[in-house]
Amino acid sequence: QVQLAESGGGLVQTGGSLRLSCAASGRTISWYYIGWFRRTPGKEREFVAYTSWSGSSTVYADSVRGRFTISTDNAKNTMYLQMNSLKPEDTAVYYCAYGPPSPAATMTGSYNYWGQGTQVTVSS
């Protein structure tokens, strides 16, 4: 079992920055992927980014590329999502996820474990 705990969400103005953290505990596997997804009311979870713990495989959604950066701290078993130049449309509950490498790593079904989510609100 793996437990994921997100933190770092909050309220920020347009153009501001936030850094989300996702601490993993339990039986983590170094070659698994870590992903970030987000959900707004009435919509399905949307892919944001994923990476391998080594950082050798990193993919971003078009909507966040160039503004968001995913990273990992292997020593702390923690991954991060640095979000810059935030826009009101980035407002959502953000979830971290953990699962085996997959060609479908942009899809929620590729991940076995999920955090509880953290709210990010960007005011205009």
Side-chain angles (χ1 to χ4, degrees):
Q1 280 288 78
V2 173
Q3 294 79 40
L4 303 175
E6 300 107 334
S7 60
L11 174 64
V12 64
Q13 292 184 333
T14 297
S17 298
L18 281 175
R19 188 178 78 158
L20 305 183
S21 299
C22 177
S25 60
R27 299 174 67 88
T28 58
I29 300 174
S30 62
W31 45 268
Y32 266 34
Y33 278 6
I34 307 96
W36 284 97
F37 290 77
R38 63 188 182 187
R39 184 174 64 186
T40 53
K43 294 186 177 181
E44 298 291 325
R45 291 186 188 186
E46 174 192 24
F47 168 73
V48 175
Y50 76 77
T51 190
S52 58
W53 279 108
S54 66
S56 60
S57 301
T58 303
V59 174
Y60 295 94
D62 290 343
S63 58
V64 307
R65 187 178 298 113
R67 300 187 298 122
F68 290 12
T69 302
I70 190 172
S71 63
T72 61
D73 184 332
N74 293 351
K76 296 181 179 180
N77 249 11
T78 300
M79 64 167 172
Y80 304 96
L81 185 68
Q82 178 66 44
M83 306 186 295
N84 299 328
S85 302
L86 283 161
K87 306 174 182 179
E89 50 264 43
D90 294 318
T91 295
V93 177
Y94 283 72
Y95 299 87
C96 61
Y98 178 80
S102 168
T106 61
M107 308 296 290
T108 58
S110 294
Y111 297 88
N112 306 112
Y113 302 97
W114 291 84
Q116 80 285 355
T118 185
Q119 176 71 47
V120 171
T121 304
V122 184
S123 62
S124 57

